[in-house]
Amino acid sequence: MIDDDGPVLCADVQDAGADPFCERPADRRYSVCRKVLGGCFRFESTSEALLDLVEAAYAGLPPHHFPIGEPEFRIELRLLPRQVFPLAVEPPPVRVQSGAGLLCGVMDASNYVVLAPEQHRALIVASEDMLGHPYHLRYELIEFAVFTLATRGLGLVPLHGACVGQHGRGVLLLGASGSGKSTLALHCLLEGLDFLAEDAVFVQPESLLATGVANYLHVQADALRFVDDDAATRWISQAPIIRRRSGVEKFEADLRQGHGRLAAVPPELVGAVFVSGQPADDPGALLSVIPRAEIAVRLRADQAYASRQPGWHRFEQRMMQLGVYQLRRGRHPRDAVETLRRLLD
């Protein structure tokens, strides 16, 4: 729902001397509220185009809740005039910095994020040029703010990985880029498992309840050779193509279009699986147990950022109690899905 409320951006160059920090209230402002990652996020802006990107990212998601409550976060989005020197084919990468209780992510002087985690607030500034780069604006500025505020405000452990489940139970899918996590997550979705996330998972370390943003699935074209469902093939192949910073191009398929089931509640983790690109020696035995003495080293090597967060030690302890596995490739991704299904039973 969009409503008019409160102060807005000082975008008029003529106002720069009178209001250099853009603090003066204006006449019109829009706001959107969305339940994301267990929190209530209010996005405010004078730009409907920026709020359209918020809706593209977070509208239609299952509202997840944690027993610890539902804090409110406020994010202001400001649109600046087009830059004199327009952006190149690809925006510059985000550089991060911190100090005085603030976290910053900066592309350039007209495109950046400033976060005050203790106040549950953030400011996102983008130039009109960035509207021509919706993927980067959505993922590297808006998502940066949402993920960071939720992680700090809810005490979650942020993991680079995927998560699928069934009957309120979930399993983490970990591994290096290119190991096949997204392809496996796709087939889990198509085979009826609940889909939580394919790239970023957030875990409450004590309860091991997990949440994520199930908005888009990113898969390369070669993943379609294993998809037998014609409707699913059309859904993916007709999706927009995005280009990662690495240069890899992937389909960005909207998961909210009804293909498969999104996790309605945060699943409780029953274990973690490192996905390997290597074929199994025995096609009937894809899963192997990682020795307990090796689990901590494997997890920390795979999750460099998360392993430095406050809740990591408890998360690591809990995963060692549950078990961590390695999953090698079978003849078809369905074989791996059935292996995960047995682990979830």
Side-chain angles (χ1 to χ4, degrees):
M1 178 176 174
I2 298 179
D3 54 71
D4 302 334
D5 181 27
V8 294
L9 166 68
C10 163
D12 192 334
V13 177
Q14 295 179 352
D15 293 338
D19 187 23
F21 294 101
C22 301
E23 297 171 286
R24 188 182 64 195
D27 297 329
R28 192 167 185 81
R29 187 174 187 147
Y30 306 103
S31 69
V32 170
C33 286
R34 288 287 170 247
K35 303 290 181 67
V36 186
L37 301 176
C40 179
F41 282 81
R42 177 177 286 275
F43 301 88
E44 300 173 326
S45 182
T46 58
S47 168
E48 292 185 78
L50 288 178
L51 290 183
D52 285 344
L53 286 175
V54 170
E55 290 289 81
Y58 303 121
L61 295 175
H64 286 182
H65 307 279
F66 287 111
I68 58 178
E70 189 178 83
E72 182 173 284
F73 303 92
R74 297 176 74 93
I75 297 179
E76 181 180 345
L77 301 100
R78 293 184 178 182
L79 188 65
L80 297 184
R82 189 172 300 276
Q83 299 188 73
V84 176
F85 300 102
L87 293 170
V89 175
E90 184 176 78
V94 172
R95 295 166 293 161
V96 295
Q97 189 55 268
S98 65
L102 303 175
L103 304 177
C104 303
V106 180
M107 283 183 174
D108 58 31
S110 299
N111 297 280
Y112 55 87
V113 182
V114 181
L115 301 99
E118 293 298 322
Q119 286 74 47
H120 292 185
R121 296 178 72 91
L123 169 67
I124 299 172
V125 176
S127 66
E128 290 180 334
D129 309 71
M130 277 297 291
L131 295 175
H133 303 272
Y135 170 76
H136 294 286
L137 176 50
R138 201 171 70 233
Y139 278 90
E140 298 183 7
L141 295 181
I142 297 175
E143 188 174 272
F144 177 87
V146 170
F147 283 8
T148 304
L149 288 181
T151 297
R152 305 296 174 96
L154 287 156
L156 305 178
V157 176
L159 302 166
H160 174 58
C163 184
V164 296
Q166 65 178 3
H167 310 311
R169 293 156 62 86
V171 60
L172 278 175
L173 304 179
L174 307 175
S177 297
S179 61
K181 297 188 299 297
S182 295
T183 299
L184 178 55
L186 165 63
H187 285 275
C188 288
L189 177 80
L190 297 179
E191 294 295 323
L193 293 183
D194 294 338
F195 189 101
L196 181 76
E198 63 105 13
D199 191 53
V201 181
F202 301 82
V203 179
Q204 204 287 320
E206 190 59 45
S207 66
L208 286 188
L209 293 175
T211 186
V213 177
N215 49 11
Y216 296 100
L217 177 71
H218 299 94
V219 291
Q220 292 179 257
D222 63 358
L224 294 178
R225 70 184 189 276
F226 293 112
V227 178
D228 303 324
D229 186 311
D230 291 341
T233 301
R234 286 194 300 273
W235 163 55
I236 297 171
S237 61
Q238 293 174 4
I241 295 176
I242 57 93
R243 187 175 184 272
R244 299 283 201 192
R245 290 284 185 181
S246 63
V248 174
E249 292 187 341
K250 294 189 174 186
F251 291 110
E252 185 177 61
D254 195 328
L255 289 159
R256 295 158 292 183
Q257 293 180 353
H259 293 273
R261 186 171 59 239
L262 306 184
V265 298
E268 181 178 349
L269 297 180
V270 299
V273 170
F274 280 92
V275 179
S276 171
Q278 295 182 341
D281 296 330
D282 179 358
L286 306 185
L287 200 67
S288 60
V289 177
I290 293 177
R292 183 182 175 88
E294 300 177 13
I295 290 176
V297 174
R298 289 285 298 271
L299 287 174
R300 291 175 192 177
D302 189 67
Q303 302 292 328
Y305 175 72
S307 64
R308 295 173 179 264
Q309 302 309 303
W312 176 263
H313 181 64
R314 184 54 179 155
F315 168 77
E316 184 179 85
Q317 286 181 322
R318 296 299 311 278
M319 296 312 299
M320 291 176 70
Q321 293 168 356
L322 293 177
V324 179
Y325 307 85
Q326 178 166 286
L327 179 70
R328 294 193 174 184
R329 290 188 179 180
R331 296 189 182 95
H332 192 282
R334 277 194 300 267
D335 301 332
V337 175
E338 291 308 309
T339 299
L340 294 179
R341 198 189 301 274
R342 290 193 294 271
L343 187 61
L344 288 162
D345 286 340

